[in-house]
Amino acid sequence: MSAAVSPSHEDPYRKYVHFVDGADRDTDHDHYFESVNPTTGRLWGRFAIADDVDVDVAVQSAHRAFRGEWSQMSASKRGSLMTRWGEAIANNADFIGRLEVTQNGKLLAEMKLQAQIALDWLRYFGGLADKIEGSVIPLNQTSVLNYTLREPLGVVGVITPWNSPTFLTIMSVAPALAAGNTVVLKPSEVTSASAIELARLAKVAGIPDGVINVVTGLRRTGEAIVDHPLVRKVAFTGSVGAGKAIAGRLSQRLASYTLELGGKSPNIVFPDANLDQAEAGVLAGIFAAAGQTCIAGSRAYIHEAIYDELVDRLTRRAKSIVLGDPLLTSTQMGPVATSAQLEKDLTIVAQARDDGAELAYGGERVSVGDFGGYFISPAILTGVSQNNRVMRNEVFGPVLAIAKFKDEDEVVCLANDSPFGLAAGVWTNDIKRGHRMARRLEAGTVWLNTYRALAFNSPFGGYKDSGVGRVNGIDAVNSFLQTKSVWCELGDEVRDPFVLKA
Ligand code: NAD
């Protein structure tokens, strides 16, 4: 591991309030939380905490916009405003990217790119807005015209985590808007500023006031959205525990949900793989973004014939990872996002060793220049048994657990032996084996000879505890619609009121 530093983190202390009905809205009470820059460890921002009253004001604003201008607007116009919003975000990618780095310490290059490609997502979903069609049903009663209308749900709550704030916000908000809904967004308490800036850019792009509202706060604020009777669906991205709690509350009042939750994804390397590609793919899966992605390939299963060689290569590469200032392009891994995440990473590495794993490299807190932030060296654990806690629990940090396997059947059992099912990677040059594995693995996404790839038009979501529903692709829009069946008698026949007509 080498270090790159630059004294470029001079954040002015900022104060943020909610963004409701197209304007800043402070709370009437004096409840705030503060945000820490994970690179420096210094406080940089103060955010209002929305209580039930603030949430109600935001939901009422979204409800008015839903009943008003947004639903009266043509779908094409709605779509073109979404594209304009995407352009505004892309044009401000540097600003948004730097804000994200201040909040969560991820690499500027990645945070900026995520803001740039928000345009691809908003253009795609904006383009779908005027392609939402009902159908005409050929009934047996030939005198009746029966057709369906695909209608929006109303106000949608969007609750997001801190790891890829802009990207994950757009992934949920874009299909919701394309379907004609309005939104109340509660961003993570770690990354609230970018959400507010995105909403401000939506106003600049011409999206009507009230269509996108942002309330900041802690868990209680999220719960107030979940419990609000006018919120017809919640699109939640976050941890499994919170997702289950939210689903339970929404089920009580028969509101729907999409859940994008955690993962413990296997990355499986067969001996016939291109080892250079596999090495890069396993590294990208766990150390890119310092392991703080839901799709982290945190379990590597390596065939016994190439185990020693690949472990050796991975360890050498991990040692050379440039840990440092996330604003520099030369940096490969920045800090982790919070002191709690750092403590969790260190604890899990210690537990993994207690459970019998060998630490081949890393897993220690390190200092980088004068930065006082939350830096940890990339950890490689080898000989990890299936019941080791690090194999079973999501870490959400740069911690790779490696185990050996003998054959295809064994590795399928090991890979599927997890409550999670978000993603899986398979490295092989045997085309038949690759597609066999794709069928056998219990995961919402399977990557063959690649990893960490997503697209706006390819469905993404989890099997098992990793989630319910899909983001990206046309189905994402469908999940924000409900279907109405319209019946119209075209004939003049007077019906017998006591005979059912079938
Ligand atoms: P988290 O569950 O702690 O918080 C996510 C959001 O939910 C935050 O805004 C939080 O304030 C809110 N929240 C928490 N409990 C709530 C409750 N009971 N009711 C309402 N709102 C509540 O998750 P996190 O630590 O911010 O993010 C990390 C997790 O997110 C990881 O598990 C990661 O795998 C997951 N994630 C999943 C995806 C995906 O697409 N599947 C993407 C990114 C992150």
Side-chain angles (χ1 to χ4, degrees):
M1 180 201 77
S2 48
V5 287
S6 87
S8 48
H9 286 269
E10 295 302 328
D11 311 306
Y13 191 83
R14 291 174 243 188
K15 185 184 162 195
Y16 281 93
V17 293
H18 315 300
F19 189 80
V20 173
D21 212 5
D24 286 351
R25 183 182 191 278
D26 207 345
T27 39
D28 296 331
H29 51 77
D30 196 28
H31 293 156
Y32 295 92
F33 65 93
E34 290 188 297
S35 186
V36 175
N37 179 331
T39 306
T40 61
R42 289 198 297 265
L43 288 172
W44 74 274
R46 199 171 103 120
F47 296 83
I49 295 179
D51 63 8
D52 290 8
V53 173
D54 299 313
V55 167
D56 183 56
V57 170
V59 173
Q60 296 294 349
S61 154
H63 187 57
R64 272 195 308 280
F66 175 69
R67 287 272 169 89
E69 202 177 345
W70 196 235
S71 64
Q72 280 143 29
M73 187 181 283
S74 75
S76 308
K77 170 91 176 163
R78 195 164 73 229
S80 67
L81 288 180
M82 288 175 62
T83 302
R84 275 173 55 186
W85 184 29
E87 286 162 355
I89 297 170
N91 289 338
N92 288 278
D94 190 64
F95 167 66
I96 296 287
R98 283 174 191 277
L99 200 52
E100 304 284 44
V101 176
T102 303
Q103 302 179 108
N104 67 11
K106 285 214 175 168
L107 300 186
L108 176 60
E110 176 154 336
M111 293 296 96
K112 207 170 147 178
L113 180 71
Q114 291 190 359
Q116 282 160 343
I117 61 176
L119 173 56
D120 297 338
W121 260 256
L122 283 161
R123 193 190 280 133
Y124 171 77
F125 283 106
L128 289 177
D130 60 8
K131 291 157 196 77
I132 295 166
E133 296 173 348
S135 51
V136 177
I137 316 290
L139 295 186
N140 286 344
Q141 300 99 309
T142 50
S143 69
V144 176
L145 171 65
N146 178 227
Y147 61 92
T148 58
L149 297 173
R150 314 290 315 288
E151 297 185 328
L153 303 170
V155 179
V156 169
V158 173
I159 302 178
T160 54
W162 47 262
N163 62 315
S164 291
T166 296
F167 196 44
L168 296 169
T169 299
I170 297 302
M171 267 200 226
S172 289
V173 172
L177 295 187
N181 302 280
T182 55
V183 165
V184 175
L185 166 65
K186 207 253 0 127
S188 164
E189 41 277 43
V190 180
T191 51
S192 295
S194 49
I196 294 164
E197 299 297 353
L198 292 180
R200 288 179 177 160
L201 288 171
K203 183 180 172 85
V204 171
I207 292 186
D209 293 348
V211 172
I212 301 170
N213 306 275
V214 182
V215 285
T216 56
L218 310 175
R219 190 184 78 189
R220 179 69 204 111
T221 302
E223 288 172 344
I225 294 174
V226 168
D227 290 343
H228 199 291
L230 285 177
V231 173
R232 295 314 311 152
K233 171 170 176 163
V234 171
F236 174 76
T237 311
S239 59
V240 174
K244 287 182 177 174
I246 287 168
R249 294 173 98 110
L250 290 166
S251 300
Q252 286 299 310
R253 59 181 191 84
L254 304 182
S256 63
Y257 47 82
T258 303
L259 303 175
E260 293 291 331
L261 308 178
K264 189 77 210 173
S265 300
N267 219 340
I268 301 164
V269 188
F270 285 97
D272 56 33
N274 175 329
L275 279 202
D276 294 337
Q277 276 189 336
E279 176 192 324
V282 173
L283 283 165
I286 188 65
F287 297 134
Q292 301 167 117
T293 76
C294 53
I295 51 179
S298 49
R299 294 184 285 154
Y301 294 106
I302 302 177
H303 190 270
E304 59 185 7
I306 48 162
Y307 184 84
D308 290 343
E309 181 188 349
L310 194 53
V311 167
D312 192 47
R313 282 179 175 220
L314 290 167
T315 309
R316 266 189 281 132
R317 282 289 289 274
K319 286 179 183 169
S320 71
I321 285 175
V322 180
L323 195 64
D325 180 356
L327 291 175
L328 295 180
T329 49
S330 52
T331 298
Q332 294 172 323
M333 235 177 73
V336 294
T338 60
S339 59
Q341 186 61 53
L342 177 68
E343 287 310 315
K344 184 179 175 195
D345 296 349
L346 297 171
T347 303
I348 285 179
V349 170
Q351 283 174 350
R353 297 178 80 182
D354 289 346
D355 288 356
E358 197 174 312
L359 183 65
Y361 179 68
E364 291 174 336
R365 183 167 193 179
V366 289
S367 345
V368 171
D370 293 335
F371 293 132
Y374 313 131
F375 293 91
I376 177 173
S377 50
I380 295 201
L381 294 155
T382 57
V384 186
S385 65
Q386 192 65 10
N387 53 13
N388 190 312
R389 281 169 282 182
V390 75
M391 272 299 187
R392 310 213 70 81
N393 303 322
E394 183 181 44
V395 182
F396 220 57
V399 179
L400 176 63
I402 308 182
K404 203 183 272 188
F405 73 92
K406 284 190 177 61
D407 59 37
E408 203 174 303
D409 285 345
E410 184 195 12
V411 80
V412 167
C413 285
L414 293 170
N416 288 342
D417 174 26
S418 168
F420 297 103
L422 193 58
V426 179
W427 301 87
T428 177
N429 275 336
D430 179 340
I431 190 170
K432 293 178 187 165
R433 175 163 29 216
H435 291 295
R436 252 189 339 259
M437 289 293 291
R439 285 189 179 192
R440 297 179 74 187
L441 290 168
E442 296 165 354
T445 294
V446 176
W447 289 295
L448 304 179
N449 296 323
T450 183
Y451 204 87
R452 221 173 165 240
L454 291 174
F456 48 79
N457 48 3
S458 180
F460 176 80
Y463 280 24
K464 303 194 279 189
D465 272 5
S466 289
V468 174
R470 294 292 175 268
V471 290
N472 301 342
I474 291 170
D475 281 351
V477 178
N478 291 335
S479 77
F480 289 98
L481 291 164
Q482 52 194 339
T483 302
K484 181 179 283 170
S485 178
V486 181
W487 296 63
C488 177
E489 172 61 61
L490 303 176
D492 295 324
E493 183 197 351
V494 178
R495 279 179 60 181
D496 180 339
F498 306 104
V499 175
L500 180 69
K501 200 170 175 187

